[in-house]
Amino acid sequence: MSVLTTNYLTPTGREEAWRFTPLKRLRGLHDGVAVQSDRESLITKGALPSGVSFTRENLEPLASSDDVIIERVRGAATSVAHLAIAPNTEVAEPIFLGRSAGALDTAEFSRVRITLGTHAVATVIVENTTDTVLAEDLEIYCAPGSNLKFVTLQEFESKSVYTARHHAVVDKDATFKSITVTVGGDVVRILPTVEFKAPGASADLLGVYFATAGQFFEHRMHVDHAVPHAKSNVNYKGALAGKDAHTVWIGDVLIRAAAEGTDTYELNRNLLLSDGARADSVPNLEIETGEIIGAGHASTTGRFDDEQLFYLMSRGIAMADARRLVVRGFFNEIVSEIGNEEVQNRIMDRIDAELEKAAHNG
Amino acid sequence: MSTLEIRNLQVSVDTDNGTVEILKGVDLTIKSGETHAIMGPNGSGKSTLAYSIAGHPKYTITGGSVTLDGVDVLEMTVDERAKAGLFLAMQYPVEVPGVSVSNFLRTAATALRGEAPKLRTWVGEVKDAMEALNMDPSFATRNVNEGFSGGEKKRHEIMQLELLKPKMAILDETDSGLDVDALRIVSEGVNRAKAANNLGVILITHYTRILRYIQPDFVHVFANGRVVEQGGPELAEKLEANGYADYVSK
Ligand SMILES: Nc1ncnc2c1ncn2[C@@H]1O[C@H](COP(=O)(O)OP(=O)(O)OP(=O)(O)O)[C@@H](O)[C@H]1O
Ligand SMILES: [Mg+2]
């Protein structure tokens, strides 16, 4: 257990890490004003396959954090929800976790751990719904040779505030792939971070987000290449529509001096579907060794491609349907990676609904 | 029986250096079943004419009219023009990432027919249309025009022509970039569409070769934003021999 301290540093908004976040809308998660609830909302959906367990335990954190809210979570949470996949277990069907209980007048401080034993293979899908205030410290350990696909779906209602760090520690020859989908909530701030433990590790961080009027969604990656011969790939796609829709994507990739043979690429593409929306996109590559295979980044922010819309409409497809096709097409590259038809369709339908909502609100 | 009438059509585009007038009064009348070849030098405005009829937002109509059976086409949105029976096979078909050919075709057919085609007959319909154009069935699951070769894009355009059954089609250099076999396959597709739907065709081309497969009833010479001469198929042969020198200097 961490020691409970009361005087955490409260961010002012001038710090690099907080400069985009609307602190006033965090419902007191950052400054200690939030009233802690005793909710432990994370549950498994359906029976767990053999070799998989879900328990509440006391666990030391895998990694330190300089995030104020994560520190508060560690101080406040009394146990850790732990999903463990035993060594050499190959789970064919996705394991579903989810949160559907919540409240807006109290805040849940939640610690979660996902552990993959050596050579375990699994897909974990976390479904976050409801209206809630939630601060989450989620840590993942991928043991040597394991393979995890980690899907998190932020399908919150419109008033939710969710701040989280999803930190993966990826060991020798392990493969970690995350797919982060954010389509609901008032303020969502996720820190998908990766730390490589040994050579041969690889991480794919994929994500999509769609913010409509007034919503703030921030995704702040950090990939730490501290060991040789690890591979990382980041690809986030976002769409924005409506007044004061605001998204932030930060891609910090650090290649330390020891990380020879690193191969990394990061990409963020944003589609601005209306005036009055703002997409911040900041790729940031720090390279301390020249002995690498590749390192690159790209960031684009654009509007609807008139040529695409014209082509579709010239075949009789109405404007609204053409826009829907183009937006679905834009997100499809990443959503199709989830690999679960039902979830993919639900996310695409939600994206359609968001687009429609935006069209109605001008 | 339909008639597409283009009267004194004037079109300009906005560029960084101001407005440029491209079409300077085009007159053309196309009836169902007729094939009109349009030939003319690069930059004379042929694609501009095609795009303007289809309603591309880049072009501003500054004068004249386009009507289909007396109904004002220029007042219609792009999709309404397609619903009215117009089709443009583009010189440079557009890639639409993430949208599969099969989804695209079904969405288009649904829009044009006013209801979703019955799944059972539809699958066969698409399969037949693709086979007829010698397209591998795997194209159905690929994204629209993405990574298609130049010739594959053109075949995909004519496949849509057969599937969507318009009244009037504008084929903008559909023959460019086709190998000899593909030229024959694509031409047969156009001829099938003509026979099946009594299609009227505006066929923009630089080469007489395609005209051996698709017989034109009329040949129009296009230069400097207007039609400068009209004739029968023999005019195409003359152009092939002499080029456009006579018309450009005028
Ligand atoms: N956006 C634009 N800005 C500037 N000029 C333009 C623009 N669009 C078209 N034009 C000009 O209009 C003229 C006509 O172009 P168009 O594409 O219609 O020619 P075309 O007859 O189809 O030529 P080609 O045989 O090469 O296909 C050209 O000179 C072209 O450069
Ligand atoms: Mg042209």
Side-chain angles (χ1 to χ4, degrees), chain B residues 13-15 20 22 40-49 58-59 91-92 172-173 206 222:
Chain B
V13 290
D14 288 328
T15 73
V20 182
I22 300 175
N42 294 133
S44 57
K46 303 180 299 297
S47 292
T48 303
L49 173 66
K58 191 170 84 179
Y59 301 95
Q91 185 174 357
Y92 303 109
D172 191 357
E173 295 199 26
H206 287 297
F222 210 84

Side-chain angles (χ1 to χ4, degrees), chain B:
Chain B
M1 185 72 185
S2 286
T3 308
L4 179 67
E5 250 189 278
I6 302 156
R7 285 286 157 270
N8 192 29
L9 187 65
Q10 295 158 51
V11 173
S12 63
V13 290
D14 288 328
T15 73
D16 294 342
N17 307 319
T19 303
V20 182
E21 189 189 17
I22 300 175
L23 298 188
K24 298 165 182 169
V26 177
D27 289 289
L28 270 180
T29 303
I30 300 101
K31 296 202 166 76
S32 291
E34 292 179 356
T35 297
H36 295 245
I38 294 183
M39 305 183 79
N42 294 133
S44 57
K46 303 180 299 297
S47 292
T48 303
L49 173 66
Y51 277 130
S52 302
I53 296 169
H56 194 294
K58 191 170 84 179
Y59 301 95
T60 311
I61 314 292
T62 53
S65 67
V66 178
T67 58
L68 181 63
D69 298 327
V71 182
D72 188 353
V73 168
L74 300 177
E75 278 297 308
M76 299 179 193
T77 58
V78 176
D79 57 312
E80 286 169 352
R81 297 178 199 212
K83 286 180 187 121
L86 297 175
F87 181 90
L88 169 60
M90 291 183 206
Q91 185 174 357
Y92 303 109
V94 181
E95 301 188 1
V96 192
V99 178
S100 72
V101 166
S102 83
N103 185 13
F104 162 62
L105 293 176
R106 193 167 163 77
T107 309
T110 302
L112 289 173
R113 298 174 191 183
E115 58 173 358
K118 298 248 182 317
L119 205 53
R120 233 183 33 215
T121 50
W122 172 248
V123 172
E125 221 181 309
V126 172
K127 194 167 152 274
D128 291 347
M130 290 181 64
E131 251 168 35
L133 271 302
N134 223 0
M135 292 178 75
D136 192 273
S138 66
F139 277 97
T141 56
R142 288 177 61 175
N143 293 334
V144 173
N145 292 320
E146 207 176 52
F148 288 22
S149 76
E152 288 165 352
K153 284 181 182 168
K154 299 302 179 68
R155 274 189 266 176
H156 181 221
E157 294 292 280
I158 299 309
M159 196 253 284
Q160 294 171 54
L161 172 71
E162 281 202 81
L163 209 52
L164 302 179
K165 302 183 172 51
K167 293 177 186 159
M168 295 282 167
I170 306 162
L171 312 181
D172 191 357
E173 295 199 26
T174 299
D175 55 337
S176 296
L178 293 180
D179 65 45
V180 276
D181 296 324
L183 180 67
R184 183 179 44 77
I185 289 164
V186 158
S187 300
E188 285 168 4
V190 175
N191 287 332
R192 275 194 304 272
K194 280 176 65 173
N197 312 314
N198 200 24
L199 180 71
V201 176
I202 299 177
L203 193 154
I204 298 170
T205 183
H206 287 297
Y207 309 105
T208 51
R209 212 176 49 181
I210 193 174
L211 303 181
R212 291 204 277 275
Y213 293 104
I214 306 171
Q215 289 286 321
D217 302 295
F218 307 92
V219 173
H220 309 267
V221 181
F222 210 84
N224 194 23
R226 55 166 71 92
V227 175
V228 291
E229 188 168 357
Q230 327 208 18
E234 73 291 342
L235 181 53
E237 304 297 336
K238 194 180 123 196
L239 292 172
E240 180 113 310
N242 304 343
Y244 299 109
D246 293 354
Y247 306 105
V248 178
S249 55
K250 271 182 196 168

Side-chain angles (χ1 to χ4, degrees), chain A residues 268-289:
Chain A
N268 175 227
R269 293 184 61 198
N270 292 296
L271 200 49
L272 274 176
L273 303 179
S274 76
D275 292 331
R278 172 177 157 193
D280 288 297
S281 178
V282 189
N284 183 24
L285 194 54
E286 246 180 273
I287 308 178
E288 293 172 356
T289 172

Side-chain angles (χ1 to χ4, degrees), chain A residues 238-252:
Chain A
L240 300 86
K243 192 170 158 1
D244 297 327
H246 186 187
T247 65
V248 176
W249 177 88
I250 311 285
D252 286 334

Side-chain angles (χ1 to χ4, degrees), chain A residues 307-308 310-318 325 329-330 332, chain B residues 56 78-79 82-83 88 90 97-99 108 111 145 157 160:
Chain A
E307 299 299 327
Q308 289 175 10
F310 172 72
Y311 187 77
L312 297 172
M313 290 178 72
S314 78
R315 272 39 173 168
I317 299 169
L325 273 180
F330 175 72
N332 185 51
Chain B
H56 194 294
V78 176
D79 57 312
K83 286 180 187 121
L88 169 60
M90 291 183 206
V99 178
N145 292 320
E157 294 292 280
Q160 294 171 54

